[in-house]
Amino acid sequence: MEKSYVWGIDLGGTKIECAVLSAADLTQVIARERIDTEASKGYEHIISQVARLVSRVSEQLGVSPTRIGFATPGVLNPATQTMKNCNTTSMNGRPMAADLTKALGVEVRLANDANCFALAETHLGAVQDVNPKAEVVFGIIMGTGVGGGLVVHGQVINGLHGIGGEWGHNILEEGGKACYCGKSGCVEHVISGPALEEFYFSISGQKLRMPQILQAHLAGTDIHASATIERMLENFGLAVSTLINVLDPQVIVIGGGVGNIDLLYTEGIERIKKYIFNSGEVLTPIVKPKLGDSAGVFGAALLFHSEAI
Ligand SMILES: [Zn+2]
Protein backbone atom coordinates (compact mmCIF):
# COMPACT_ATOMS: atom_id res chain seq x y z
CA MET A 1 0.00 0.00 0.00
CA GLU A 2 2.74 2.44 1.00
CA LYS A 3 4.45 1.95 -2.35
CA SER A 4 1.51 3.47 -4.15
CA TYR A 5 2.25 6.81 -2.48
CA VAL A 6 5.12 9.25 -2.98
CA TRP A 7 5.94 11.58 -0.08
CA GLY A 8 7.56 15.00 -0.22
CA ILE A 9 8.21 17.73 2.35
CA ASP A 10 9.12 21.34 1.65
CA LEU A 11 11.05 22.48 4.70
CA GLY A 12 10.71 26.26 4.53
CA GLY A 13 11.78 28.85 7.07
CA THR A 14 8.15 29.76 7.82
CA LYS A 15 6.10 26.69 6.86
CA ILE A 16 6.75 22.99 6.54
CA GLU A 17 4.53 21.45 3.90
CA CYS A 18 3.93 17.78 3.21
CA ALA A 19 2.41 16.42 0.01
CA VAL A 20 1.58 12.82 -0.78
CA LEU A 21 1.16 12.00 -4.46
CA SER A 22 -0.16 8.93 -6.17
CA ALA A 23 2.75 6.93 -7.58
CA ALA A 24 0.55 5.78 -10.44
CA ASP A 25 -0.44 9.34 -11.36
CA LEU A 26 1.89 11.97 -9.94
CA THR A 27 -0.53 14.76 -10.79
CA GLN A 28 -2.93 13.33 -8.24
CA VAL A 29 -2.47 14.83 -4.78
CA ILE A 30 -3.62 12.38 -2.11
CA ALA A 31 -2.89 14.57 0.90
CA ARG A 32 -1.43 17.97 1.61
CA GLU A 33 -0.80 19.50 5.01
CA ARG A 34 1.16 22.41 6.47
CA ILE A 35 2.56 23.25 9.86
CA ASP A 36 4.46 26.34 11.10
CA THR A 37 8.22 25.80 11.17
CA GLU A 38 8.64 27.97 14.27
CA ALA A 39 12.29 28.24 13.28
CA SER A 40 13.07 30.66 16.11
CA LYS A 41 12.60 27.80 18.59
CA GLY A 42 15.71 26.12 17.21
CA TYR A 43 16.86 23.14 15.21
CA GLU A 44 15.52 20.34 17.44
CA HIS A 45 12.12 21.98 17.40
CA ILE A 46 12.13 22.09 13.56
CA ILE A 47 12.86 18.35 13.45
CA SER A 48 10.04 17.68 15.91
CA GLN A 49 7.65 19.82 13.84
CA VAL A 50 8.48 17.65 10.80
CA ALA A 51 7.76 14.52 12.87
CA ARG A 52 4.46 16.01 14.05
CA LEU A 53 3.42 16.78 10.47
CA VAL A 54 4.36 13.32 9.18
CA SER A 55 2.45 11.55 11.95
CA ARG A 56 -0.59 13.76 11.31
CA VAL A 57 -0.61 12.90 7.58
CA SER A 58 0.11 9.22 8.31
CA GLU A 59 -2.90 9.08 10.62
CA GLN A 60 -5.08 10.72 8.00
CA LEU A 61 -4.10 8.21 5.34
CA GLY A 62 -3.75 5.20 7.60
CA VAL A 63 -0.32 4.61 6.03
CA SER A 64 3.19 5.47 7.17
CA PRO A 65 5.93 6.39 4.69
CA THR A 66 9.18 4.49 4.30
CA ARG A 67 10.89 7.16 2.19
CA ILE A 68 10.49 10.94 2.14
CA GLY A 69 12.13 13.53 -0.14
CA PHE A 70 12.88 16.95 1.37
CA ALA A 71 13.29 20.36 -0.23
CA THR A 72 15.57 22.39 2.06
CA PRO A 73 16.65 26.04 2.08
CA GLY A 74 20.35 25.16 1.83
CA VAL A 75 22.15 21.97 0.88
CA LEU A 76 23.56 18.90 2.51
CA ASN A 77 27.33 19.03 2.13
CA PRO A 78 28.04 15.67 0.50
CA ALA A 79 31.49 15.46 2.14
CA THR A 80 30.43 16.11 5.75
CA GLN A 81 26.72 15.20 5.54
CA THR A 82 25.91 18.46 7.35
CA MET A 83 23.82 21.38 6.12
CA LYS A 84 25.25 24.59 4.69
CA ASN A 85 24.06 27.78 2.99
CA CYS A 86 20.68 27.71 4.80
CA ASN A 87 18.98 31.02 5.49
CA THR A 88 17.30 29.20 8.40
CA THR A 89 20.71 29.41 10.05
CA SER A 90 20.05 26.97 12.89
CA MET A 91 20.17 24.18 10.29
CA ASN A 92 23.73 25.00 9.22
CA GLY A 93 26.36 22.53 10.40
CA ARG A 94 23.69 20.01 11.45
CA PRO A 95 23.50 16.41 10.13
CA MET A 96 19.92 16.91 9.05
CA ALA A 97 19.51 13.81 6.86
CA ALA A 98 20.66 11.59 9.73
CA ASP A 99 18.53 13.47 12.26
CA LEU A 100 15.41 13.23 10.08
CA THR A 101 15.98 9.52 9.50
CA LYS A 102 16.30 9.03 13.25
CA ALA A 103 13.24 11.12 14.11
CA LEU A 104 11.00 9.67 11.38
CA GLY A 105 12.30 6.14 10.97
CA VAL A 106 12.35 6.54 7.19
CA GLU A 107 14.90 6.80 4.41
CA VAL A 108 15.35 10.45 3.41
CA ARG A 109 16.76 12.31 0.45
CA LEU A 110 17.45 16.05 0.63
CA ALA A 111 17.84 18.63 -2.12
CA ASN A 112 17.99 22.39 -2.28
CA ASP A 113 14.58 24.00 -2.88
CA ALA A 114 15.67 25.47 -6.22
CA ASN A 115 16.70 21.99 -7.37
CA CYS A 116 13.29 20.69 -6.32
CA PHE A 117 11.66 23.53 -8.26
CA ALA A 118 13.57 22.49 -11.40
CA LEU A 119 12.73 18.82 -10.87
CA ALA A 120 9.02 19.47 -10.41
CA GLU A 121 8.74 21.80 -13.40
CA THR A 122 10.59 19.19 -15.48
CA HIS A 123 8.35 16.25 -14.65
CA LEU A 124 5.04 17.88 -13.83
CA GLY A 125 5.15 21.48 -15.00
CA ALA A 126 6.19 23.83 -17.78
CA VAL A 127 8.77 21.53 -19.38
CA GLN A 128 6.06 18.97 -20.13
CA ASP A 129 4.33 21.58 -22.30
CA VAL A 130 7.32 22.75 -24.33
CA ASN A 131 9.66 19.75 -24.55
CA PRO A 132 8.79 16.68 -22.45
CA LYS A 133 11.85 14.90 -23.84
CA ALA A 134 14.29 17.62 -22.72
CA GLU A 135 17.53 16.03 -21.47
CA VAL A 136 18.91 19.12 -19.77
CA VAL A 137 16.67 21.60 -17.94
CA PHE A 138 17.74 24.62 -15.93
CA GLY A 139 15.35 26.13 -13.40
CA ILE A 140 16.10 29.73 -12.46
CA ILE A 141 14.76 31.41 -9.34
CA MET A 142 14.75 35.21 -9.54
CA GLY A 143 13.02 36.66 -6.51
CA THR A 144 14.26 37.89 -3.15
CA GLY A 145 17.36 35.85 -3.99
CA VAL A 146 18.72 34.30 -7.17
CA GLY A 147 19.20 30.56 -7.34
CA GLY A 148 18.90 27.70 -9.73
CA GLY A 149 18.58 24.00 -10.20
CA LEU A 150 19.87 21.65 -12.84
CA VAL A 151 18.06 18.53 -14.03
CA VAL A 152 19.78 16.12 -16.39
CA HIS A 153 17.97 13.08 -17.79
CA GLY A 154 15.22 13.66 -15.25
CA GLN A 155 17.57 13.67 -12.26
CA VAL A 156 18.52 16.62 -10.11
CA ILE A 157 22.25 17.35 -10.06
CA ASN A 158 23.37 18.21 -6.52
CA GLY A 159 27.04 18.05 -7.48
CA LEU A 160 30.32 17.35 -5.72
CA HIS A 161 30.00 20.24 -3.26
CA GLY A 162 26.21 20.21 -3.25
CA ILE A 163 26.18 23.54 -5.12
CA GLY A 164 25.03 22.31 -8.53
CA GLY A 165 22.96 25.05 -10.19
CA GLU A 166 23.98 27.85 -7.79
CA TRP A 167 24.57 30.45 -10.49
CA GLY A 168 23.22 33.21 -8.21
CA HIS A 169 26.66 33.47 -6.64
CA ASN A 170 28.62 33.72 -9.85
CA ILE A 171 30.33 37.10 -9.84
CA LEU A 172 28.67 39.43 -12.29
CA GLU A 173 29.81 42.88 -11.23
CA GLU A 174 33.39 43.25 -10.12
CA GLY A 175 33.61 45.52 -7.09
CA GLY A 176 29.85 45.22 -6.60
CA LYS A 177 27.93 44.96 -3.37
CA ALA A 178 29.21 42.60 -0.66
CA CYS A 179 27.27 39.34 -0.44
CA TYR A 180 26.61 37.18 2.62
CA CYS A 181 28.52 34.43 0.81
CA GLY A 182 31.74 36.37 1.39
CA LYS A 183 32.23 37.66 -2.16
CA SER A 184 30.87 40.76 -3.84
CA GLY A 185 28.96 41.57 -7.00
CA CYS A 186 27.19 38.18 -7.15
CA VAL A 187 24.35 37.75 -9.67
CA GLU A 188 22.00 37.77 -6.68
CA HIS A 189 23.20 41.25 -5.73
CA VAL A 190 22.46 42.63 -9.18
CA ILE A 191 19.21 41.10 -10.45
CA SER A 192 17.26 39.95 -7.37
CA GLY A 193 14.19 42.02 -6.43
CA PRO A 194 15.81 43.65 -3.37
CA ALA A 195 19.01 44.42 -5.33
CA LEU A 196 17.07 46.15 -8.10
CA GLU A 197 14.98 48.09 -5.58
CA GLU A 198 18.17 49.19 -3.85
CA PHE A 199 19.64 50.28 -7.17
CA TYR A 200 16.52 52.34 -7.90
CA PHE A 201 16.79 53.95 -4.45
CA SER A 202 20.48 54.75 -5.01
CA ILE A 203 19.77 56.73 -8.18
CA SER A 204 16.36 58.25 -7.38
CA GLY A 205 16.39 58.64 -3.59
CA GLN A 206 12.95 57.04 -3.55
CA LYS A 207 11.86 53.69 -2.15
CA LEU A 208 9.69 51.77 -4.60
CA ARG A 209 8.93 48.06 -4.88
CA MET A 210 9.64 46.16 -8.11
CA PRO A 211 6.05 46.13 -9.40
CA GLN A 212 5.91 49.94 -9.06
CA ILE A 213 9.31 50.37 -10.68
CA LEU A 214 8.17 48.23 -13.59
CA GLN A 215 4.93 50.17 -13.90
CA ALA A 216 6.77 53.51 -13.91
CA HIS A 217 9.13 52.21 -16.58
CA LEU A 218 6.27 50.98 -18.77
CA ALA A 219 4.49 54.34 -18.38
CA GLY A 220 7.68 56.01 -19.60
CA THR A 221 7.49 58.60 -16.84
CA ASP A 222 10.51 57.81 -14.70
CA ILE A 223 14.04 57.70 -16.10
CA HIS A 224 15.34 56.06 -12.93
CA ALA A 225 12.79 53.26 -13.24
CA SER A 226 13.83 52.77 -16.84
CA ALA A 227 17.51 52.69 -15.82
CA THR A 228 16.66 50.01 -13.23
CA ILE A 229 14.80 47.86 -15.75
CA GLU A 230 17.64 48.36 -18.23
CA ARG A 231 20.09 47.15 -15.57
CA MET A 232 17.92 44.09 -14.96
CA LEU A 233 17.62 43.19 -18.64
CA GLU A 234 21.26 43.71 -19.54
CA ASN A 235 22.56 41.73 -16.57
CA PHE A 236 19.95 39.03 -17.07
CA GLY A 237 21.24 38.63 -20.64
CA LEU A 238 24.81 38.49 -19.46
CA ALA A 239 24.19 36.02 -16.62
CA VAL A 240 21.89 33.69 -18.57
CA SER A 241 24.19 33.62 -21.60
CA THR A 242 26.90 32.07 -19.40
CA LEU A 243 24.45 29.39 -18.25
CA ILE A 244 23.58 28.55 -21.84
CA ASN A 245 27.22 28.54 -22.93
CA VAL A 246 28.04 25.95 -20.26
CA LEU A 247 24.93 23.76 -20.17
CA ASP A 248 23.01 24.57 -23.34
CA PRO A 249 19.75 23.34 -21.75
CA GLN A 250 16.78 22.41 -23.90
CA VAL A 251 14.46 24.37 -21.60
CA ILE A 252 14.94 27.16 -19.06
CA VAL A 253 12.14 27.81 -16.55
CA ILE A 254 12.17 31.04 -14.57
CA GLY A 255 10.42 31.20 -11.20
CA GLY A 256 10.32 33.83 -8.46
CA GLY A 257 8.72 37.26 -8.32
CA VAL A 258 11.17 38.98 -10.69
CA GLY A 259 10.88 35.99 -13.03
CA ASN A 260 7.29 36.97 -13.55
CA ILE A 261 8.22 40.13 -15.47
CA ASP A 262 7.12 39.67 -19.10
CA LEU A 263 9.96 41.81 -20.47
CA LEU A 264 12.45 39.08 -19.56
CA TYR A 265 10.83 36.80 -22.13
CA THR A 266 11.04 39.38 -24.93
CA GLU A 267 13.76 42.02 -24.45
CA GLY A 268 15.58 39.77 -21.95
CA ILE A 269 16.04 37.14 -24.66
CA GLU A 270 17.34 39.85 -27.02
CA ARG A 271 20.02 40.63 -24.43
CA ILE A 272 20.98 36.95 -24.15
CA LYS A 273 21.51 37.04 -27.93
CA LYS A 274 24.08 39.80 -27.45
CA TYR A 275 26.30 37.60 -25.29
CA ILE A 276 25.68 33.98 -26.24
CA PHE A 277 28.34 32.01 -28.16
CA ASN A 278 25.95 31.22 -30.98
CA SER A 279 25.95 34.03 -33.55
CA GLY A 280 23.18 35.86 -31.75
CA GLU A 281 20.66 33.07 -32.07
CA VAL A 282 18.79 31.75 -29.01
CA LEU A 283 16.54 28.77 -29.69
CA THR A 284 16.18 27.79 -26.01
CA PRO A 285 12.55 27.90 -24.87
CA ILE A 286 12.63 30.24 -21.86
CA VAL A 287 9.33 29.88 -20.04
CA LYS A 288 7.40 30.71 -16.91
CA PRO A 289 6.71 27.94 -14.39
CA LYS A 290 3.39 26.20 -14.09
CA LEU A 291 3.26 24.82 -10.55
CA GLY A 292 3.50 28.03 -8.50
CA ASP A 293 4.13 27.47 -4.79
CA SER A 294 3.65 23.72 -5.19
CA ALA A 295 6.92 23.20 -7.08
CA GLY A 296 9.05 22.78 -3.92
CA VAL A 297 6.93 20.11 -2.29
CA PHE A 298 6.23 18.25 -5.56
CA GLY A 299 9.94 18.32 -6.42
CA ALA A 300 10.71 16.92 -2.97
CA ALA A 301 8.27 14.07 -3.59
CA LEU A 302 10.03 13.37 -6.90
CA LEU A 303 13.47 13.00 -5.31
CA PHE A 304 12.94 9.28 -4.81
CA HIS A 305 10.56 8.80 -7.63
CA SER A 306 12.44 10.51 -10.45
CA GLU A 307 14.69 7.48 -10.99
CA ALA A 308 11.68 5.57 -12.12
CA ILE A 309 10.43 8.14 -14.63
ZN1 LIG B 1 27.14 35.65 -3.13
Side-chain angles (χ1 to χ4, degrees), residues 169 179 181 186:
H169 296 274
C179 180
C181 76
C186 297

Side-chain angles (χ1 to χ4, degrees), residues 39 41-50 52 90 94 99 103:
K41 293 188 182 170
Y43 175 76
E44 279 77 16
H45 184 75
I46 296 172
I47 300 289
S48 70
Q49 287 294 82
V50 173
R52 201 161 291 140
S90 65
R94 297 300 194 114
D99 289 343

Side-chain angles (χ1 to χ4, degrees), residues 5 14-16 22 31 43 47 71 114-115 152-153 189 191 201 227 231 297 307:
Y5 295 148
T14 316
K15 297 264 181 206
I16 304 169
S22 159
Y43 175 76
I47 300 289
N115 291 4
V152 178
H153 292 142
H189 276 292
I191 58 171
F201 177 70
R231 177 174 167 84
V297 74
E307 286 168 330

